[in-house]
Amino acid sequence: MDAPSYQQLLLDNRQLREQLAQRDRLIEQLQQTIRALQQRVELSERSAKRQAAPFSKGPPKKNPKKPGRKAGDEHGPHGHRQPPPPDQIAETLDAPLPAHCPDCGGAVVEDHLDRQFQTEIPRQPILREFKIHCGHCHQCGKHLRGRHPLQTSAATGVAQSQLGPDAQAAVVYLNKHAGTSYGKIADIFAKHYGITVTRGACAQIVLRAGKILQPVYEQIQERIQDSEHLTPDETGWRIGGQPAWLHAWVGDDGATLYAIDPQRSADVLEKAIGIDWSGAMTHDGFSSYERFEDVVHQQCVDHALRRARGLVDKHTGVAKVFPRQVIELFTDALQLRDRLNEANADPVDHDRRERAYDDYTQRLRDLTEGRRRNVANNRFAKHLYNHIACWFIFLVNPDIPATNHRAEQALKTPIVNRKVWGGNRTDAGGAAQAVTSSVLQTCKNRAVDAFTYLSNAFRGILGNLFT
């Protein structure tokens, strides 16, 4: 067999090079396709978490507990409605016996008298007339007008017919707390109370509440500035159909401040508390919070656990090992936190907490060092490693929460409102949203009757929420 000629070898070499080039192009195309598909999968997963349907708590339990009350000693107390005090009964009605038995027609004889009590909502509105006495000072000539405690404004003339303080408080409470739209509020007032009010009037009441409560909003902001710990979080919002962000910050005494800003960054928080604010802050992995250099940063442990559980569900085989190790490490740290808090009277408690922090930080460093073949695991490990000193602060200071649940809970009501009516239509509506929501949530955290507080505010009485 003759050996191939030099020209043949060159030809074969050229063909092989072309085949390799084609293969390289095909590999690059396949890699681009894989990256695009991975991005679509991640986008789909994120979109599923932002759905309008109620959040899933996972599959139903295989052996759920029997519904209803337990028998025996665990039956528990009954929540019977107690009879009202005699002096609070507004009307007494009789339920007389029939003159004859409906079955046989015989005469009916009364044996005894039973009592039943009923609490009903009022359907008849209270219509008030204020006779405002007007005059002037005999000495200086200044014009003076009387003011009744139930008046919500001094307007007369075309604005002489107004809603009372409770009615206006109900508009704000139904809209900002219950998420009821202005159209439905108007329908409720007409159907249930016989009060005619328009959607526009409801919107004006909310805007007015925002202006009235502005001093209280500023008071809450001062409390946020003075807090030793803050829990910030944010969620998507809309102003006039345009994307925006609703920020929530919860202080250590229950003070809750909201702000709406076009950007997600911590610029708006910096304006509220100042860049030199020093204290502790528990937040998610959003890097914008790291601008506060004098702050003790605690990364939200629950965010890491949720991410790890998602990787366990997504991966197969050995790729599950790393996220499971992360779950085990953080769960163990939280359990130790609980044991340390129960034994807080131990004189060597602080030293033990310091050692626990160092131990768990080193274990996490050992677990996340190096590169992993799985892309998602490697990205997660890098995130954990980059914030290595911020995961176990809660072991050192029991007053620092391990999660940002305070802020997440503060965002629940606004998120429900957003799902119902999408956000605010104007900047003025957004400002009123931030003010009224801040007051309502702070009232809730401070165990203050929010409805009564709103009603008093419309009468010109602004109580101190922090006394």
Side-chain angles (χ1 to χ4, degrees):
M1 182 176 180
D2 296 336
S5 65
Y6 178 74
Q7 295 296 331
Q8 184 63 37
L9 290 173
L10 289 177
L11 180 61
D12 293 342
N13 182 272
R14 187 180 301 109
Q15 291 176 347
L16 290 173
R17 288 179 179 275
E18 292 177 355
Q19 292 176 0
L20 289 174
Q22 291 177 356
R23 184 174 301 174
D24 290 341
R25 288 193 294 271
L26 179 59
I27 291 173
E28 178 62 27
Q29 292 175 357
L30 292 175
Q31 289 177 341
Q32 292 178 358
T33 302
I34 291 173
R35 287 194 293 268
L37 290 174
Q38 288 177 338
Q39 292 176 355
R40 292 177 61 181
V41 169
E42 292 176 358
L43 179 61
S44 178
E45 291 175 349
R46 289 196 298 269
S47 299
K49 295 178 181 179
R50 293 195 294 265
Q51 58 172 320
F55 293 109
S56 172
K57 295 183 179 180
K61 296 181 179 179
K62 295 182 179 179
N63 298 308
K65 295 181 181 179
K66 183 179 179 180
R69 291 182 175 271
K70 297 181 176 63
D73 296 336
E74 298 182 353
H75 184 71
H78 283 273
H80 296 306
R81 181 180 296 278
Q82 298 298 320
D87 59 342
Q88 293 185 9
I89 297 177
E91 58 182 357
T92 301
L93 306 175
D94 277 329
L97 285 167
H100 302 282
C101 175
D103 292 336
C104 67
V108 176
V109 179
E110 183 171 329
D111 300 321
H112 64 280
L113 185 69
D114 280 340
R115 292 179 179 274
Q116 184 187 77
F117 300 92
Q118 184 182 85
T119 301
E120 180 62 288
I121 61 173
R123 297 289 300 273
Q124 182 67 34
I126 301 173
L127 302 178
R128 300 188 181 109
E129 178 185 5
F130 297 98
K131 295 182 178 180
I132 304 172
H133 296 266
C134 306
H136 66 278
C137 175
H138 180 72
Q139 181 173 339
C140 68
K142 181 180 179 180
H143 293 281
L144 301 172
R145 296 168 57 87
R147 178 70 180 255
H148 192 277
L150 289 177
Q151 284 183 259
T152 59
S153 84
T156 56
V158 295
Q160 64 182 345
S161 183
Q162 306 166 4
L163 290 179
D166 285 350
Q168 295 193 50
V171 171
V172 178
Y173 195 80
L174 286 171
N175 182 248
K176 301 308 178 189
H177 177 75
T180 311
S181 66
Y182 294 141
K184 290 183 178 179
I185 292 174
D187 184 68
I188 291 172
F189 270 62
K191 296 288 197 317
H192 293 271
Y193 304 112
I195 299 176
T196 301
V197 61
T198 64
R199 289 179 294 178
C202 292
Q204 290 299 320
I205 289 172
V206 171
L207 293 176
R208 183 165 177 257
K211 295 179 181 179
I212 292 174
L213 296 172
Q214 181 65 33
V216 187
Y217 182 79
E218 294 171 359
Q219 180 188 27
I220 296 173
Q221 182 174 343
E222 292 177 359
R223 298 293 293 198
I224 290 292
Q225 294 170 351
D226 295 337
S227 293
E228 296 182 0
H229 178 270
L230 286 181
T231 309
D233 202 3
E234 63 286 325
T235 187
W237 201 255
R238 286 190 178 275
I239 298 292
Q242 299 300 316
W245 289 89
L246 175 68
H247 298 259
W249 311 304
V250 183
D252 45 25
D253 59 354
T256 303
L257 191 73
Y258 296 93
I260 299 177
D261 193 80
Q263 303 297 326
R264 188 191 177 190
S265 74
D267 290 348
V268 62
L269 178 57
E270 181 181 335
K271 294 177 183 177
I273 64 176
I275 192 63
D276 296 330
W277 184 84
S278 60
M281 189 181 294
T282 303
H283 54 80
D284 55 23
F286 188 38
S287 60
S288 187
Y289 294 123
E290 297 174 5
R291 69 177 63 185
F292 297 97
E293 298 180 354
D294 297 332
V295 165
V296 177
H297 294 276
Q298 166 67 57
Q299 291 285 325
C300 177
V301 172
D302 192 45
H303 275 74
L305 286 172
R306 278 182 274 177
R307 186 170 176 179
R309 295 187 187 108
L311 292 176
V312 171
D313 295 337
K314 178 180 178 181
H315 292 336
T316 59
V318 296
K320 291 177 175 284
V321 174
F322 172 69
R324 283 175 174 169
Q325 291 173 330
V326 173
I327 294 172
E328 181 180 0
L329 180 62
F330 279 113
T331 302
D332 189 48
L334 292 173
Q335 292 173 351
L336 175 61
R337 184 255 335 245
D338 296 337
R339 295 195 297 271
L340 290 174
N341 291 345
E342 292 175 358
N344 198 34
D346 191 338
V348 296
D349 179 69
H350 183 72
D351 292 338
R352 186 181 178 188
R353 289 178 178 276
E354 291 282 358
R355 292 195 302 271
Y357 169 82
D358 293 338
D359 176 51
Y360 279 94
T361 300
Q362 185 59 47
R363 289 168 60 182
L364 183 62
R365 180 180 287 109
D366 295 339
L367 182 60
T368 56
E369 280 183 331
R371 185 175 180 84
R372 282 163 173 77
R373 297 179 61 182
N374 184 278
V375 176
N377 283 351
N378 186 67
R379 187 185 302 116
F380 185 32
K382 185 177 180 181
H383 170 69
L384 295 173
Y385 187 83
N386 289 341
H387 302 282
I388 197 68
C390 303
W391 292 109
F392 302 107
I393 301 294
F394 64 90
L395 290 175
V396 180
N397 188 343
D399 295 329
I400 297 178
T403 68
N404 71 335
H405 288 173
R406 291 177 180 176
E408 289 184 339
Q409 291 168 356
L411 287 174
K412 282 186 175 180
T413 298
I415 287 174
V416 172
N417 294 354
R418 181 193 65 198
K419 292 179 184 296
V420 174
W421 32 263
N424 303 108
R425 292 188 178 183
T426 64
D427 292 334
Q433 174 77 38
V435 171
T436 54
S437 297
S438 299
V439 174
L440 289 175
Q441 187 65 30
T442 302
C443 283
K444 178 182 178 181
N445 294 343
R446 301 284 298 175
V448 175
D449 186 345
F451 191 93
T452 301
Y453 192 89
L454 286 174
S455 179
N456 289 336
F458 278 110
R459 294 163 52 196
I461 303 172
L462 295 177
N464 192 331
L465 291 176
F466 303 98
T467 54

